[in-house]
Amino acid sequence: MEERNKIGLWMRFQENHPEIAQFLVFFIISNGVTVLQMVLMPVIKYGFSFTSLVSTNFQVLPIGHNLDGSVYYVFDYASGSIASGGGGGLAYFLAVEITLFVAQVINFFLQRNVTFKSNTNIAKSAFWYFIAWVIISIGAAALQGIYKTPIYDFFMNLLGKGTGMTVADLITMLINCVISFWVFFPIMKIIFKENKEES
């Protein structure tokens, strides 16, 4: 009986405050996906740490220079492990992108079906969602060049290389998730609203 009252209360809240209710559902799902990313990222990164991909340089899309005069790359994953002063190489890049891709696929279906209750043309909405994800990923990667190295240096000096790297992994992933959260909500409203109108 108490469970039924809670459901009824939520249904009334949704009717009276549809925008707030939608944002709350979006927020809850996004946080669940964030937790998944924080678990998945270190596991994938650990798996790749045993491969030669760590030693494979991945620095692409130069867009200027750092304060020290070195080239500023959108995707800046210099070869070598982070613990030894490198950028994690292609292994780190793949760990980040595979984690984000898995999370965004899950997020797409949950947000589409639960938050926005969109029921039309999945191919079209998936296409626009993918385009948005690529653009957001490039923007987030460009921003990561500003905070990634200081965060890793700080926590590895404070907590030691092993623990510090794990904490820094989680913080950089969390920052990436926060950026995606605030950018994706208005984009999803547009993508899924268009689909509803078409139906």
Side-chain angles (χ1 to χ4, degrees):
M1 190 71 177
E2 188 180 330
E3 194 68 32
R4 196 175 297 172
N5 288 339
K6 287 179 183 175
I7 293 170
L9 187 66
W10 173 250
M11 297 299 284
R12 284 194 299 277
F13 182 81
Q14 277 186 308
E15 287 175 14
N16 295 331
H17 309 283
E19 293 293 319
I20 296 173
Q22 188 179 68
F23 182 79
L24 287 173
V25 173
F26 177 82
F27 180 79
I28 291 167
I29 290 173
S30 295
N31 279 299
V33 171
T34 297
V35 170
L36 171 68
Q37 289 180 78
M38 294 178 100
V39 171
L40 197 57
M41 162 68 177
V43 171
I44 296 174
K45 186 181 167 207
Y46 178 76
F48 279 132
S49 70
F50 298 103
T51 71
S52 62
L53 295 172
V54 175
S55 303
T56 304
N57 194 56
F58 190 79
Q59 293 175 298
V60 295
L61 299 177
I63 56 169
H65 293 85
N66 293 303
L67 294 175
D68 64 2
S70 60
V71 178
Y72 188 96
Y73 295 96
V74 171
F75 295 102
D76 189 6
Y77 299 90
S79 62
S81 69
I82 293 174
S84 64
L90 187 56
Y92 191 105
F93 170 77
L94 290 174
V96 170
E97 295 307 318
I98 289 170
T99 299
L100 290 175
F101 181 76
V102 169
Q104 292 309 325
V105 169
I106 294 168
N107 194 49
F108 170 79
F109 286 104
L110 286 176
Q111 300 293 7
R112 179 180 184 271
N113 297 329
V114 179
T115 306
F116 297 97
K117 296 178 174 60
S118 180
N119 58 5
T120 61
N121 203 331
I122 192 168
K124 183 180 176 185
S125 56
F127 171 77
W128 286 113
Y129 186 94
F130 178 76
I131 296 297
W133 174 64
V134 169
I135 293 169
I136 291 167
S137 293
I138 291 171
L143 288 174
Q144 194 178 63
I146 297 168
Y147 62 80
K148 178 182 165 188
T149 300
I151 287 173
Y152 276 91
D153 288 346
F154 175 78
F155 283 104
M156 285 180 359
N157 289 332
L158 182 69
L159 304 171
K161 287 187 177 178
T163 305
M165 194 182 312
T166 302
V167 171
D169 280 346
L170 295 176
I171 290 173
T172 54
M173 183 58 66
L174 187 60
I175 292 170
N176 206 330
C177 291
V178 169
I179 293 169
S180 295
F181 174 83
W182 287 108
V183 175
F184 258 123
F185 184 68
I187 289 173
M188 285 186 189
K189 283 184 75 71
I190 293 168
I191 291 171
F192 296 133
K193 184 178 179 183
E194 286 175 354
N195 281 345
K196 279 182 160 184
E197 287 171 353
E198 285 174 12
S199 66

